[in-house]
Amino acid sequence: MTPQAVIFDCDGVLVDSEAISFEVVRDDLAAHGLALSYDEFGALFHGGTMPSAGEALRAMGAPIPDDWAERTYEKVYARLELGVEKVAGIDPLLDALEARNIPMAVGSNGAIRKMQITLGQTGLWQRFEGRIFSAKVLGVAKPAPDLFLHAAAQIGVAPSDCVVVEDSPSGCIAARRAGMRCYGFAERTAPARLSAEGAIPVASMVELMEQLGL
């Protein structure tokens, strides 16, 4: 069924920035003497926030400084400024939505500054300008539903008529709590992790277009 509006997560859905960010943070933690497996790292960081991850790391006994989150954000931003690519197939999907006058928005736990870097250098900031919403601005992060509900209100579409595209379990939880149908983009995330939170997994943007009737 074609939706009335689509709300996209940013990292890993619009831009292929997750792997870059993960690499920077894992290297930083290794320098602090903490080696995490990929699964451990994903459980701590995927779809979350740096401060919440820092709290979890300290609870594990990691010797990270009080300003670790702020310093690490700066390292991630500097690396992303060197270049990030759009997710494969995102442009045809956005073109199809725009051709049908279906409203689109971005709802991310990431900071506006980060999205200005990643979306800005790919031309996506211009496509979504005025409809880019950050949990850091709102003050409530996923998995709470507030960000998606705020985005729906701003674009004037009822939550039940919105579709969310997410690649993290926490984002899928937020969509479910907001009463929105969610497609779990499973290019880099295990489909079972997304379907466990109520999302419909899709392996590519081409498959998502088919699911949306585009």
Side-chain angles (χ1 to χ4, degrees):
M1 183 178 70
T2 304
Q4 298 300 305
V6 181
I7 303 172
F8 294 88
D9 180 39
C10 181
D11 297 298
V13 172
L14 294 174
V15 287
D16 195 10
S17 51
E18 292 280 22
I20 294 172
S21 300
F22 281 15
E23 181 181 347
V24 172
V25 179
R26 288 182 73 185
D27 288 349
D28 182 86
L29 292 176
H32 284 92
L34 184 64
L36 297 177
S37 70
Y38 185 84
D39 288 342
E40 290 172 331
F41 188 86
L44 281 171
F45 290 94
H46 196 189
T49 65
M50 206 78 74
S52 63
E55 291 174 7
L57 290 166
R58 290 187 188 94
M60 295 166 57
I64 57 175
D66 292 340
D67 62 350
W68 175 81
E70 291 75 17
R71 290 190 180 191
T72 306
Y73 274 133
E74 291 303 319
K75 291 180 181 179
V76 170
Y77 296 161
R79 174 59 185 84
L80 290 171
E81 285 176 343
L82 297 179
V84 64
E85 300 291 333
K86 285 183 280 192
V87 166
I90 193 63
D91 278 333
L93 171 58
L94 300 182
D95 290 343
L97 291 170
E98 288 178 346
R100 290 162 176 78
N101 294 315
I102 296 173
M104 307 179 299
V106 179
S108 173
N109 274 354
I112 290 293
R113 179 182 168 193
K114 182 180 182 182
M115 289 188 278
Q116 286 173 329
I117 294 170
T118 58
L119 300 179
Q121 64 182 276
T122 56
L124 293 173
W125 179 271
Q126 293 82 353
R127 295 193 80 160
F128 284 95
E129 193 163 9
R131 294 162 288 128
I132 298 172
F133 306 103
S134 165
K136 291 188 177 300
V137 174
L138 190 65
V140 185
K142 308 169 197 176
D146 304 55
L147 182 63
F148 290 147
L149 292 172
H150 175 73
Q154 292 301 305
I155 60 178
V157 179
S160 59
D161 291 327
C162 293
V163 158
V164 168
V165 184
E166 267 287 353
D167 72 327
S168 72
S170 65
C172 296
I173 294 169
R176 186 181 73 233
R177 291 175 175 173
M180 299 178 181
R181 181 160 45 114
C182 183
Y183 288 95
F185 187 54
E187 184 179 59
R188 295 183 181 272
T189 308
R193 294 185 64 209
L194 304 175
S195 61
E197 305 301 346
I200 303 166
V202 292
S204 67
M205 289 301 167
V206 172
E207 183 180 350
L208 178 57
M209 289 180 67
E210 294 171 355
Q211 289 279 354
L212 295 177
L214 302 174

